[in-house]
Amino acid sequence: NFAEFSESVDKIEQHVARARKIIHNLLGFARRMEPAKEKINVNNLLDETTGFLENEARYVNIRIEKNYQDNVPVITSDLSQIQQVVLNLLNNAIDAIGHDGTVTVSTCYHEKTDEVELNVTDTGPGIAESELNKIFDPFFTTKEVGKGTGLGLSISYSIIEKLGGKIKVQSKVGQGTTFTILLP
């Protein structure tokens, strides 16, 4: 019975970890924290953030490609909150692909609007058009039961809006998905 007992304990630990993550996300979503103001090199932020997931991606044969414009100016915003959003988008992209694919992170600067653009593009299965308008709704998820809480994108949307930016999504089934963040 030791094997059965060990398996049960593992399942309990998984459910406790999942509950902890849900509660943490709910608290973060409900919190009304003022964003920190600090100087951020967006290209460096993306390098650092992709570094967190490179081993995980490599393990499932997913390449992370970087395509940064050199003229992207330093912005003043909340580094940890932007990093949280990018990390969520990268995790979602890796989950969507599963294995054998590419995630591309890119930046560019729009002089006319004085906005910095960050893109996270994946070669996953894409999101059905009927689901795109719900993608930022709290508790909406396209992941299988037990794999996602449906809070990551709604929290990301809230964070980017609070920072004075915009987040949008483009996707075609069978062709992948691109999340675009525009920051002042």
Side-chain angles (χ1 to χ4, degrees):
N1 288 345
F2 182 73
E4 187 178 328
F5 177 73
S6 177
E7 188 178 313
S8 295
V9 168
D10 287 345
K11 284 184 181 181
I12 290 168
E13 286 177 345
Q14 287 173 355
H15 289 293
V16 167
R18 185 168 174 267
R20 180 184 307 122
K21 186 176 178 183
I22 291 169
I23 291 168
H24 176 75
N25 287 342
L26 279 170
L27 289 172
F29 187 67
R31 224 179 277 138
R32 295 280 179 234
M33 290 177 20
E34 281 302 307
K37 298 283 186 202
E38 53 197 308
K39 302 257 185 239
I40 302 168
N41 178 315
V42 176
N43 293 344
N44 290 348
L45 177 142
L46 288 176
D47 277 341
E48 187 179 312
T49 309
T50 55
F52 295 144
L53 298 173
E54 281 175 342
N55 285 337
E56 180 184 335
R58 198 175 305 117
Y59 180 74
V60 290
N61 201 30
I62 294 174
R63 279 187 334 275
I64 297 178
E65 294 181 353
K66 300 170 186 173
N67 183 14
Y68 306 152
Q69 261 187 4
D70 291 332
N71 70 336
V72 175
V74 168
I75 64 170
T76 302
S77 196
D78 190 316
L79 181 120
S80 63
Q81 288 192 16
I82 295 172
Q83 199 165 46
Q84 178 184 343
V85 170
V86 172
L87 200 54
N88 181 58
L89 295 177
L90 289 169
N91 271 318
N92 285 353
I94 290 168
D95 287 349
I97 295 170
H99 55 83
D100 302 321
T102 305
V103 175
T104 304
V105 290
S106 61
T107 60
C108 66
Y109 175 58
H110 299 288
E111 238 176 288
K112 275 186 182 176
T113 58
D114 198 28
E115 291 176 310
V116 170
E117 179 179 313
L118 292 78
N119 293 293
V120 177
T121 302
D122 67 60
T123 58
I127 303 165
E129 197 173 324
S130 61
E131 296 179 332
L132 280 176
N133 63 341
K134 300 181 262 184
I135 205 79
F136 296 111
D137 292 351
F139 304 109
F140 178 80
T141 183
T142 58
K143 295 179 183 177
E144 60 187 71
V145 175
K147 293 287 183 186
T149 61
L151 290 172
L153 288 175
S154 62
I155 290 170
S156 295
Y157 184 88
S158 174
I159 287 170
I160 296 302
E161 290 279 306
K162 205 183 303 179
L163 296 175
K166 298 175 207 116
I167 184 170
K168 50 191 176 179
V169 61
Q170 289 181 306
S171 187
K172 287 202 190 285
V173 173
Q175 294 181 19
T177 303
T178 298
F179 282 89
T180 300
I181 298 170
L182 294 165
L183 294 167

